Amino acid sequence: MNELEVFKALANQARLNILYWLKDPHQYFVHESDVDMEEVGVCVGEIQRKLGLTQSTTSHYLSMLEKAGLLTSTRIGKWTYYRRNEETIQALAKYIKEEL
């Protein structure tokens, strides 16, 4: 885990919202496909609608979160789905508790 990349990714309310919403995707997103949101993730388009931002800004934010290791992506056909990387999130919690 690159702590600097993680903290940069977390330094924006919209990106924090994405992580928060993906913690319980059934509560925050309309399930519009046959894909299991818990197992595979939430489609970029659904995240964009919830954020109310442009597709390019949403993609940039998702890319930052993925680069920091906070999200993982899965491509199915022409669609990309994102979900939280709980392993990195737990490592971050441990880092904050023990090192900061």
XYZ file of all heavy atoms in Angstrom:
822
model
N 0.843 -1.174 0.000
C 0.000 0.000 0.000
C 0.893 1.245 0.000
O 1.764 1.387 0.833
C -0.902 -0.020 1.240
C -1.725 1.234 1.406
S -2.789 1.251 2.869
C -1.604 1.403 4.193
N 0.646 2.115 -0.958
C 1.348 3.388 -1.021
C 0.499 4.419 -0.279
O -0.516 4.880 -0.786
C 1.563 3.793 -2.478
C 2.297 5.115 -2.620
O 2.175 6.005 -1.784
N 3.054 5.229 -3.692
N 0.917 4.754 0.933
C 0.113 5.623 1.792
C -0.165 6.976 1.149
O -1.271 7.501 1.266
C 0.782 5.830 3.160
C 0.861 4.588 4.004
C 2.101 3.748 3.708
O 2.958 4.161 2.895
O 2.206 2.650 4.298
N 0.823 7.542 0.458
C 0.630 8.847 -0.167
C -0.472 8.785 -1.228
O -1.346 9.655 -1.271
C 1.935 9.347 -0.778
C 1.897 10.749 -1.381
C 1.445 11.781 -0.351
C 3.256 11.115 -1.930
N -0.463 7.749 -2.070
C -1.505 7.592 -3.099
C -2.879 7.406 -2.457
O -3.876 7.936 -2.935
C -1.194 6.410 -4.019
C -0.024 6.630 -4.940
C -0.226 7.754 -5.934
O -1.351 7.914 -6.450
O 0.749 8.480 -6.183
N -2.927 6.648 -1.375
C -4.190 6.419 -0.681
C -4.739 7.720 -0.123
O -5.915 8.056 -0.340
C -4.028 5.361 0.444
C -5.266 5.316 1.329
C -3.735 3.995 -0.147
N -3.913 8.484 0.553
C -4.396 9.726 1.151
C -4.761 10.762 0.091
O -5.711 11.520 0.280
C -3.397 10.276 2.166
C -3.376 9.482 3.440
C -2.234 8.796 3.834
C -4.500 9.390 4.242
C -2.219 8.056 5.003
C -4.499 8.649 5.413
C -3.355 7.972 5.798
N -4.041 10.790 -1.026
C -4.426 11.675 -2.131
C -5.812 11.293 -2.650
O -6.649 12.158 -2.907
C -3.416 11.576 -3.284
C -2.157 12.347 -3.086
C -1.301 12.186 -4.345
C 0.064 12.776 -4.209
N 0.877 12.576 -5.421
N -6.031 10.004 -2.819
C -7.328 9.530 -3.333
C -8.460 9.853 -2.373
O -9.591 10.123 -2.794
C -7.259 8.028 -3.607
N -8.174 9.847 -1.083
C -9.208 10.099 -0.080
C -9.460 11.592 0.163
O -10.399 11.942 0.863
C -8.825 9.428 1.240
C -8.758 7.905 1.218
C -8.253 7.387 2.550
C -10.103 7.302 0.857
N -8.641 12.446 -0.439
C -8.725 13.884 -0.180
C -9.761 14.586 -1.060
O -9.533 15.684 -1.550
C -7.350 14.519 -0.365
N -10.911 13.951 -1.260
C -11.967 14.520 -2.086
C -13.294 13.901 -1.641
O -13.392 12.679 -1.527
C -11.674 14.197 -3.555
C -12.774 14.603 -4.487
O -13.794 13.927 -4.555
N -12.567 15.684 -5.216
N -14.294 14.734 -1.407
C -15.565 14.233 -0.890
C -16.243 13.258 -1.853
O -16.816 12.258 -1.420
C -16.520 15.401 -0.579
C -17.793 14.958 0.122
C -17.539 14.307 1.471
O -16.875 14.892 2.314
N -18.057 13.110 1.679
N -16.177 13.523 -3.145
C -16.817 12.624 -4.112
C -16.174 11.240 -4.078
O -16.867 10.213 -4.118
C -16.756 13.215 -5.516
N -14.851 11.188 -3.979
C -14.171 9.889 -3.923
C -14.476 9.170 -2.608
O -14.651 7.948 -2.589
C -12.674 10.064 -4.151
C -12.358 10.523 -5.578
C -10.885 10.491 -5.904
N -10.072 11.398 -5.141
C -9.747 12.639 -5.522
N -10.191 13.122 -6.676
N -8.978 13.383 -4.761
N -14.568 9.916 -1.524
C -14.978 9.305 -0.251
C -16.402 8.748 -0.365
O -16.687 7.662 0.141
C -14.912 10.329 0.878
C -13.527 10.701 1.389
C -13.618 11.875 2.354
C -12.852 9.512 2.042
N -17.269 9.502 -1.034
C -18.645 9.029 -1.229
C -18.675 7.709 -1.990
O -19.429 6.806 -1.641
C -19.481 10.072 -1.971
C -19.821 11.269 -1.120
O -19.690 11.253 0.096
N -20.254 12.337 -1.775
N -17.861 7.605 -3.027
C -17.814 6.362 -3.811
C -17.480 5.186 -2.899
O -18.150 4.149 -2.927
C -16.803 6.466 -4.969
C -17.282 7.481 -6.015
C -16.571 5.095 -5.612
C -16.226 7.867 -7.046
N -16.445 5.335 -2.077
C -16.069 4.247 -1.163
C -17.196 3.939 -0.181
O -17.470 2.770 0.110
C -14.791 4.609 -0.401
C -13.496 4.530 -1.186
C -12.344 5.043 -0.346
C -13.238 3.110 -1.649
N -17.829 4.978 0.317
C -18.935 4.800 1.261
C -20.091 4.055 0.598
O -20.619 3.091 1.153
C -19.375 6.173 1.770
C -20.514 6.122 2.756
C -20.303 5.719 4.070
C -21.797 6.479 2.377
C -21.342 5.672 4.983
C -22.842 6.439 3.281
C -22.616 6.036 4.578
O -23.658 5.984 5.466
N -20.484 4.475 -0.584
C -21.599 3.839 -1.293
C -21.288 2.388 -1.652
O -22.163 1.532 -1.576
C -21.937 4.607 -2.567
C -22.415 6.004 -2.343
C -23.067 6.504 -1.239
C -22.268 7.103 -3.231
N -23.334 7.845 -1.408
C -22.848 8.239 -2.626
C -21.690 7.250 -4.502
C -22.893 9.489 -3.233
C -21.723 8.497 -5.102
C -22.320 9.598 -4.479
N -20.038 2.124 -2.039
C -19.687 0.757 -2.437
C -19.571 -0.189 -1.246
O -19.520 -1.403 -1.424
C -18.393 0.755 -3.260
C -18.508 1.382 -4.653
C -17.149 1.400 -5.333
C -19.540 0.667 -5.504
N -19.554 0.361 -0.048
C -19.545 -0.505 1.143
C -20.838 -1.298 1.229
O -20.849 -2.445 1.662
C -19.343 0.339 2.406
C -19.197 -0.496 3.657
C -18.864 0.365 4.842
C -18.646 -0.513 6.074
N -18.301 0.288 7.245
N -21.949 -0.686 0.808
C -23.251 -1.344 0.797
C -23.973 -0.972 -0.501
O -24.883 -0.146 -0.498
C -24.076 -0.913 2.012
C -25.392 -1.662 2.128
O -25.630 -2.602 1.338
O -26.186 -1.300 3.007
N -23.543 -1.542 -1.629
C -24.058 -1.096 -2.924
C -25.567 -1.269 -3.104
O -26.193 -0.469 -3.787
C -23.275 -1.938 -3.931
C -22.763 -3.103 -3.163
C -22.586 -2.635 -1.761
N -26.160 -2.263 -2.473
C -27.609 -2.468 -2.629
C -28.405 -1.320 -2.020
O -29.524 -1.049 -2.453
C -28.035 -3.802 -2.013
C -27.522 -4.976 -2.782
N -28.044 -5.356 -3.992
C -26.514 -5.838 -2.517
C -27.397 -6.408 -4.443
N -26.453 -6.719 -3.560
N -27.841 -0.644 -1.053
C -28.526 0.478 -0.420
C -28.455 1.742 -1.281
O -29.367 2.555 -1.257
C -27.917 0.765 0.949
C -28.585 1.915 1.674
C -28.027 2.116 3.072
O -27.355 1.252 3.628
N -28.304 3.267 3.644
N -27.383 1.895 -2.060
C -27.143 3.157 -2.753
C -27.308 3.113 -4.274
O -27.361 4.166 -4.904
C -25.746 3.675 -2.410
C -25.626 3.991 -0.951
C -25.017 3.106 -0.062
C -26.179 5.160 -0.436
C -24.945 3.392 1.287
C -26.105 5.452 0.915
C -25.488 4.563 1.769
O -25.430 4.845 3.109
N -27.362 1.932 -4.857
C -27.444 1.833 -6.309
C -28.632 0.984 -6.728
O -28.959 0.002 -6.078
C -26.157 1.223 -6.883
C -24.945 2.072 -6.638
C -24.089 1.797 -5.586
C -24.659 3.161 -7.454
C -22.974 2.576 -5.345
C -23.547 3.949 -7.218
C -22.699 3.662 -6.170
N -29.218 1.378 -7.850
C -30.296 0.598 -8.446
C -29.646 -0.551 -9.198
O -28.727 -0.340 -9.997
C -31.127 1.474 -9.414
C -32.195 0.648 -10.094
C -31.722 2.657 -8.681
N -30.101 -1.750 -8.963
C -29.521 -2.926 -9.611
C -30.144 -3.081 -10.985
O -31.275 -3.507 -11.117
C -29.753 -4.160 -8.746
C -28.972 -5.349 -9.182
N -27.598 -5.356 -9.213
C -29.362 -6.562 -9.626
C -27.187 -6.532 -9.649
N -28.232 -7.272 -9.903
N -29.393 -2.683 -12.029
C -29.926 -2.683 -13.391
C -29.369 -3.795 -14.270
O -29.650 -3.823 -15.455
C -29.634 -1.332 -14.052
C -30.325 -0.177 -13.375
C -30.031 1.152 -14.042
O -29.186 1.195 -14.958
O -30.651 2.142 -13.641
N -28.592 -4.682 -13.730
C -28.015 -5.746 -14.564
C -28.083 -7.078 -13.833
O -28.496 -7.147 -12.679
C -26.568 -5.405 -14.919
O -25.745 -5.519 -13.785
N -27.644 -8.110 -14.527
C -27.620 -9.450 -13.941
C -26.360 -9.693 -13.116
O -26.178 -10.764 -12.568
C -27.705 -10.504 -15.048
C -29.017 -10.439 -15.791
O -30.024 -9.993 -15.192
O -29.046 -10.823 -16.973
N -25.488 -8.695 -13.035
C -24.213 -8.824 -12.328
C -24.441 -8.666 -10.826
O -25.175 -7.792 -10.379
C -23.214 -7.760 -12.845
C -21.945 -7.766 -12.032
C -22.913 -7.995 -14.310
N -23.810 -9.530 -10.052
C -23.883 -9.465 -8.589
C -23.016 -8.301 -8.099
O -21.796 -8.329 -8.210
C -23.393 -10.785 -8.003
C -23.457 -10.839 -6.487
O -23.642 -9.783 -5.838
O -23.308 -11.940 -5.937
N -23.658 -7.260 -7.552
C -22.932 -6.068 -7.106
C -21.955 -6.378 -5.986
O -20.908 -5.736 -5.885
C -23.905 -4.978 -6.652
C -24.627 -4.301 -7.779
S -25.486 -2.787 -7.270
C -26.824 -3.433 -6.297
N -22.289 -7.312 -5.121
C -21.385 -7.653 -4.017
C -20.126 -8.346 -4.536
O -19.029 -8.073 -4.070
C -22.090 -8.577 -3.008
C -23.286 -7.961 -2.343
C -22.932 -6.858 -1.367
O -21.825 -6.883 -0.807
O -23.768 -5.963 -1.188
N -20.301 -9.231 -5.502
C -19.196 -10.046 -5.998
C -18.378 -9.332 -7.079
O -17.152 -9.372 -7.064
C -19.741 -11.365 -6.553
C -18.699 -12.400 -6.832
C -18.022 -12.929 -5.573
O -18.644 -12.969 -4.506
O -16.850 -13.303 -5.682
N -19.057 -8.667 -8.021
C -18.381 -8.075 -9.181
C -18.207 -6.572 -9.032
O -17.164 -6.026 -9.351
C -19.153 -8.394 -10.482
C -18.489 -7.740 -11.680
C -19.250 -9.898 -10.679
N -19.236 -5.897 -8.547
C -19.152 -4.456 -8.355
C -20.308 -3.723 -8.992
O -21.294 -4.321 -9.421
N -20.170 -2.417 -9.056
C -21.189 -1.526 -9.582
C -20.663 -0.912 -10.880
O -19.503 -0.502 -10.961
C -21.532 -0.415 -8.562
C -22.520 0.581 -9.132
C -22.074 -1.031 -7.280
N -21.520 -0.837 -11.879
C -21.163 -0.295 -13.187
C -20.805 1.187 -13.081
O -21.418 1.939 -12.312
C -22.340 -0.495 -14.136
S -22.013 0.085 -15.803
N -19.853 1.608 -13.877
C -19.411 3.003 -13.900
C -20.592 3.944 -14.118
O -20.696 4.985 -13.471
C -18.345 3.229 -14.995
C -18.010 4.705 -15.137
C -17.099 2.429 -14.710
N -21.499 3.586 -15.019
C -22.640 4.446 -15.316
C -23.517 4.692 -14.103
O -24.026 5.810 -13.909
N -23.702 3.668 -13.285
C -24.503 3.830 -12.071
C -23.792 4.737 -11.062
O -24.423 5.558 -10.393
C -24.813 2.467 -11.453
C -25.743 1.631 -12.313
C -26.088 0.300 -11.671
O -26.384 0.285 -10.463
O -26.047 -0.717 -12.390
N -22.478 4.585 -10.953
C -21.697 5.442 -10.051
C -21.763 6.892 -10.544
O -21.953 7.816 -9.755
C -20.242 4.944 -9.941
C -20.215 3.538 -9.300
C -19.388 5.928 -9.149
C -18.880 2.843 -9.376
N -21.632 7.083 -11.856
C -21.694 8.424 -12.429
C -23.039 9.080 -12.137
O -23.089 10.247 -11.741
C -21.462 8.378 -13.933
C -21.566 9.748 -14.576
C -21.688 9.697 -16.080
O -21.594 8.650 -16.708
N -21.936 10.850 -16.678
N -24.131 8.361 -12.330
C -25.461 8.922 -12.056
C -25.590 9.342 -10.594
O -26.128 10.395 -10.281
C -26.555 7.923 -12.428
C -26.872 7.897 -13.907
C -28.120 7.110 -14.222
N -27.989 5.672 -14.001
C -27.408 4.832 -14.845
N -26.874 5.278 -15.972
N -27.344 3.540 -14.566
N -25.092 8.517 -9.699
C -25.175 8.819 -8.267
C -24.323 10.047 -7.920
O -24.740 10.884 -7.131
C -24.722 7.600 -7.459
C -24.791 7.763 -5.973
C -26.156 7.460 -5.464
C -26.155 7.470 -3.946
N -27.474 7.765 -3.430
N -23.143 10.154 -8.524
C -22.268 11.293 -8.268
C -22.815 12.591 -8.864
O -22.598 13.668 -8.314
C -20.881 11.058 -8.867
C -19.891 10.201 -8.103
C -18.640 9.982 -8.938
C -19.539 10.828 -6.772
N -23.467 12.476 -10.023
C -23.946 13.662 -10.720
C -22.828 14.430 -11.401
O -22.939 15.638 -11.621
N -21.749 13.743 -11.740
C -20.602 14.357 -12.405
C -20.475 13.801 -13.822
O -21.152 12.845 -14.182
C -19.318 14.076 -11.612
C -19.288 14.617 -10.183
C -18.046 14.124 -9.453
C -19.356 16.138 -10.171
N -19.591 14.381 -14.604
C -19.395 13.912 -15.972
C -18.768 12.516 -15.972
O -18.158 12.084 -14.984
C -18.472 14.856 -16.766
O -17.172 14.823 -16.167
C -19.022 16.274 -16.793
N -18.887 11.857 -17.115
C -18.301 10.525 -17.257
C -16.791 10.592 -17.109
O -16.185 9.748 -16.455
C -18.696 9.929 -18.617
C -18.291 8.479 -18.804
C -16.880 8.315 -19.328
O -16.370 9.170 -20.044
N -16.235 7.237 -18.939
N -16.162 11.625 -17.668
C -14.697 11.715 -17.597
C -14.219 11.963 -16.165
O -13.218 11.364 -15.730
C -14.162 12.797 -18.545
O -14.659 14.059 -18.193
N -14.922 12.807 -15.415
C -14.540 13.056 -14.026
C -14.743 11.803 -13.189
O -13.882 11.431 -12.384
C -15.345 14.230 -13.431
O -15.062 15.400 -14.196
C -14.990 14.471 -11.977
N -15.870 11.133 -13.395
C -16.142 9.891 -12.666
C -15.068 8.855 -12.962
O -14.529 8.231 -12.038
C -17.535 9.350 -13.031
O -18.519 10.333 -12.707
C -17.834 8.054 -12.294
N -14.724 8.676 -14.218
C -13.686 7.711 -14.590
C -12.343 8.074 -13.974
O -11.606 7.193 -13.523
C -13.559 7.623 -16.109
O -14.718 7.049 -16.659
N -12.030 9.361 -13.950
C -10.770 9.814 -13.339
C -10.747 9.480 -11.843
O -9.747 8.970 -11.323
C -10.596 11.313 -13.556
C -9.404 11.885 -12.874
N -8.107 11.589 -13.246
C -9.302 12.722 -11.809
C -7.262 12.225 -12.451
N -7.963 12.918 -11.572
N -11.854 9.752 -11.156
C -11.931 9.455 -9.727
C -11.810 7.956 -9.467
O -11.099 7.529 -8.552
C -13.232 9.987 -9.141
C -13.284 11.483 -8.956
C -14.448 12.097 -8.530
C -12.181 12.299 -9.206
C -14.512 13.475 -8.344
C -12.236 13.667 -9.036
C -13.401 14.250 -8.594
O -13.461 15.606 -8.419
N -12.484 7.154 -10.271
C -12.409 5.703 -10.099
C -10.993 5.205 -10.369
O -10.488 4.332 -9.653
C -13.418 5.005 -11.011
C -14.883 5.225 -10.643
C -15.795 4.770 -11.778
C -15.232 4.534 -9.337
N -10.348 5.778 -11.362
C -8.969 5.406 -11.676
C -8.028 5.740 -10.518
O -7.145 4.947 -10.173
C -8.524 6.126 -12.952
O -7.185 5.856 -13.241
N -8.207 6.903 -9.916
C -7.382 7.288 -8.758
C -7.570 6.306 -7.608
O -6.594 5.890 -6.972
C -7.757 8.689 -8.277
C -7.219 9.812 -9.107
S -7.605 11.412 -8.360
C -6.420 11.414 -7.001
N -8.819 5.951 -7.332
C -9.106 5.021 -6.240
C -8.538 3.639 -6.531
O -8.022 2.966 -5.642
C -10.610 4.954 -5.988
C -11.226 6.208 -5.370
C -12.746 6.185 -5.511
C -10.823 6.346 -3.916
N -8.604 3.231 -7.793
C -8.041 1.929 -8.160
C -6.514 1.959 -8.089
O -5.892 1.021 -7.577
C -8.509 1.525 -9.558
C -8.054 0.139 -9.940
C -8.617 -0.334 -11.256
O -8.869 0.491 -12.153
O -8.789 -1.551 -11.399
N -5.896 3.026 -8.566
C -4.432 3.150 -8.513
C -3.937 3.101 -7.069
O -2.878 2.538 -6.774
C -3.997 4.448 -9.182
C -2.504 4.645 -9.213
C -2.121 5.944 -9.898
C -0.618 6.145 -9.838
N -0.232 7.469 -10.320
N -4.724 3.677 -6.164
C -4.359 3.666 -4.745
C -4.629 2.311 -4.099
O -4.262 2.095 -2.946
C -5.132 4.760 -4.007
N -5.270 1.411 -4.837
C -5.561 0.083 -4.307
C -6.845 -0.010 -3.519
O -7.141 -1.044 -2.933
N -7.635 1.068 -3.502
C -8.876 1.084 -2.717
C -10.048 0.450 -3.450
O -11.038 0.068 -2.829
C -9.224 2.527 -2.330
C -8.198 3.193 -1.409
C -8.429 4.694 -1.364
C -8.261 2.576 -0.019
N -9.951 0.337 -4.780
C -10.982 -0.298 -5.593
C -10.345 -1.322 -6.509
O -9.158 -1.225 -6.844
C -11.713 0.726 -6.477
C -12.545 1.814 -5.834
C -13.166 2.706 -6.908
C -13.608 1.243 -4.930
N -11.147 -2.278 -6.922
C -10.749 -3.202 -7.979
C -11.796 -3.099 -9.077
O -12.953 -2.743 -8.820
C -10.661 -4.658 -7.486
O -11.947 -5.085 -7.033
C -9.640 -4.808 -6.382
N -11.391 -3.389 -10.297
C -12.329 -3.318 -11.412
C -12.404 -4.656 -12.123
O -11.450 -5.433 -12.120
C -11.926 -2.219 -12.394
O -10.702 -2.525 -13.021
N -13.566 -4.880 -12.725
C -13.805 -6.068 -13.537
C -14.483 -5.606 -14.812
O -15.466 -4.860 -14.753
C -14.727 -7.064 -12.805
O -14.120 -7.429 -11.567
C -14.969 -8.306 -13.643
N -13.964 -6.029 -15.938
C -14.577 -5.676 -17.220
C -15.375 -6.876 -17.725
O -14.854 -7.983 -17.810
C -13.515 -5.269 -18.225
C -14.101 -4.721 -19.501
C -13.081 -3.805 -20.185
N -13.603 -3.323 -21.434
C -14.278 -2.181 -21.568
N -14.495 -1.420 -20.529
N -14.702 -1.791 -22.749
N -16.641 -6.619 -18.049
C -17.508 -7.642 -18.620
C -18.113 -7.045 -19.880
O -18.912 -6.111 -19.809
C -18.616 -8.070 -17.640
C -18.001 -8.637 -16.360
C -19.547 -9.086 -18.295
C -18.993 -8.967 -15.271
N -17.685 -7.563 -21.028
C -18.127 -6.988 -22.290
C -17.644 -5.553 -22.404
O -16.467 -5.266 -22.227
N -18.550 -4.634 -22.675
C -18.165 -3.227 -22.794
C -18.301 -2.459 -21.489
O -18.057 -1.262 -21.431
C -18.979 -2.545 -23.893
C -20.452 -2.496 -23.635
C -21.172 -1.791 -24.784
C -22.656 -1.693 -24.493
N -23.352 -0.906 -25.488
N -18.679 -3.130 -20.410
C -18.930 -2.475 -19.127
C -17.809 -2.754 -18.129
O -17.264 -3.850 -18.085
C -20.259 -2.940 -18.521
C -21.401 -2.818 -19.475
C -22.056 -3.846 -20.102
C -22.015 -1.619 -19.948
N -23.035 -3.356 -20.917
C -23.043 -1.987 -20.844
C -21.805 -0.278 -19.696
C -23.842 -1.061 -21.483
C -22.608 0.651 -20.340
C -23.602 0.260 -21.215
N -17.513 -1.753 -17.299
C -16.536 -1.914 -16.226
C -17.252 -1.729 -14.900
O -18.038 -0.802 -14.737
C -15.387 -0.896 -16.348
O -14.773 -1.051 -17.635
C -14.344 -1.104 -15.268
N -16.976 -2.633 -13.967
C -17.603 -2.642 -12.651
C -16.532 -2.445 -11.587
O -15.435 -2.990 -11.696
C -18.316 -3.982 -12.417
C -19.428 -4.230 -13.400
C -19.167 -4.758 -14.655
C -20.736 -3.939 -13.066
C -20.190 -4.978 -15.566
C -21.767 -4.149 -13.965
C -21.486 -4.677 -15.223
O -22.507 -4.875 -16.119
N -16.872 -1.683 -10.557
C -15.933 -1.410 -9.471
C -16.497 -1.872 -8.142
O -17.696 -1.775 -7.893
C -15.640 0.099 -9.381
C -14.745 0.590 -10.477
C -15.270 1.028 -11.685
C -13.362 0.609 -10.314
C -14.446 1.476 -12.700
C -12.531 1.062 -11.324
C -13.081 1.492 -12.519
O -12.255 1.930 -13.519
N -15.593 -2.362 -7.309
C -15.950 -2.703 -5.927
C -14.774 -2.352 -5.036
O -13.647 -2.158 -5.489
C -16.363 -4.156 -5.782
C -15.289 -5.158 -6.003
C -15.866 -6.583 -5.930
N -14.825 -7.556 -6.142
C -14.148 -8.144 -5.174
N -14.407 -7.877 -3.919
N -13.216 -9.020 -5.455
N -15.068 -2.266 -3.749
C -14.027 -1.921 -2.775
C -13.011 -3.049 -2.648
O -13.356 -4.221 -2.735
C -14.662 -1.682 -1.404
C -15.437 -0.399 -1.320
C -16.331 -0.342 -0.100
N -15.756 -0.816 1.134
C -15.566 -0.074 2.223
N -15.942 1.190 2.230
N -15.062 -0.587 3.312
N -11.772 -2.669 -2.396
C -10.724 -3.635 -2.087
C -10.588 -3.645 -0.564
O -9.871 -2.828 0.016
C -9.409 -3.232 -2.763
C -8.312 -4.236 -2.521
O -8.411 -5.086 -1.647
N -7.258 -4.128 -3.306
N -11.323 -4.533 0.060
C -11.386 -4.559 1.525
C -10.026 -4.842 2.162
O -9.749 -4.372 3.262
C -12.426 -5.570 2.004
C -13.851 -5.236 1.601
C -14.365 -3.908 2.156
O -13.849 -3.439 3.200
O -15.278 -3.340 1.546
N -9.179 -5.571 1.470
C -7.843 -5.868 2.014
C -7.042 -4.573 2.202
O -6.433 -4.355 3.248
C -7.110 -6.821 1.068
C -5.764 -7.272 1.580
C -5.121 -8.287 0.658
O -5.776 -9.284 0.316
O -3.953 -8.052 0.282
N -7.060 -3.709 1.207
C -6.340 -2.435 1.317
C -6.983 -1.537 2.358
O -6.282 -0.861 3.126
C -6.299 -1.711 -0.044
O -5.612 -2.540 -0.981
C -5.588 -0.372 0.057
N -8.294 -1.518 2.409
C -8.994 -0.673 3.383
C -8.661 -1.120 4.806
O -8.415 -0.292 5.689
C -10.511 -0.656 3.102
C -10.750 0.089 1.776
C -11.285 -0.022 4.241
C -12.143 -0.021 1.217
N -8.590 -2.427 5.029
C -8.217 -2.936 6.349
C -6.763 -2.606 6.672
O -6.431 -2.272 7.814
C -8.468 -4.445 6.438
C -9.933 -4.811 6.434
C -10.696 -4.135 7.562
O -10.241 -4.108 8.708
N -11.853 -3.584 7.237
N -5.884 -2.691 5.664
C -4.473 -2.335 5.878
C -4.343 -0.849 6.218
O -3.533 -0.463 7.071
C -3.653 -2.676 4.639
N -5.160 -0.019 5.576
C -5.151 1.415 5.878
C -5.614 1.660 7.313
O -5.008 2.451 8.037
C -6.049 2.168 4.895
C -6.252 3.654 5.171
C -4.929 4.408 5.104
C -7.266 4.233 4.198
N -6.679 0.990 7.724
C -7.176 1.144 9.097
C -6.098 0.734 10.100
O -5.881 1.422 11.110
C -8.442 0.311 9.296
N -5.399 -0.352 9.814
C -4.322 -0.807 10.698
C -3.174 0.198 10.719
O -2.637 0.512 11.788
C -3.814 -2.176 10.232
C -2.739 -2.754 11.103
C -2.298 -4.115 10.615
C -1.179 -4.628 11.500
N -0.636 -5.891 11.013
N -2.829 0.727 9.559
C -1.763 1.731 9.462
C -2.105 2.972 10.297
O -1.268 3.469 11.063
C -1.528 2.112 8.001
C -0.562 3.245 7.810
C 0.806 3.026 7.885
C -1.013 4.539 7.571
C 1.710 4.077 7.717
C -0.125 5.593 7.417
C 1.237 5.347 7.476
O 2.120 6.385 7.333
N -3.327 3.447 10.168
C -3.754 4.632 10.934
C -3.725 4.346 12.428
O -3.231 5.146 13.215
C -5.150 5.103 10.472
C -5.054 5.690 9.055
C -5.731 6.123 11.439
C -6.371 5.978 8.411
N -4.215 3.185 12.807
C -4.269 2.828 14.227
C -2.881 2.668 14.831
O -2.628 3.123 15.953
C -5.073 1.537 14.394
C -5.215 1.107 15.825
C -6.043 -0.157 15.938
C -6.144 -0.571 17.387
N -6.863 -1.811 17.554
N -1.990 2.038 14.104
C -0.684 1.681 14.669
C 0.433 2.662 14.358
O 1.391 2.762 15.145
C -0.289 0.285 14.197
C -1.233 -0.795 14.703
C -0.889 -2.164 14.199
O 0.120 -2.330 13.459
O -1.640 -3.107 14.518
N 0.350 3.375 13.257
C 1.489 4.201 12.821
C 1.259 5.699 12.974
O 2.210 6.452 13.097
C 1.829 3.909 11.368
C 2.175 2.453 11.083
C 3.443 1.997 11.771
O 4.367 2.807 11.977
O 3.519 0.796 12.122
N 0.008 6.136 12.914
C -0.242 7.592 12.996
C -0.661 8.005 14.382
O -1.269 7.321 15.112
C -1.336 8.007 11.993
C -0.951 7.945 10.529
C -2.114 8.390 9.667
C 0.252 8.842 10.252
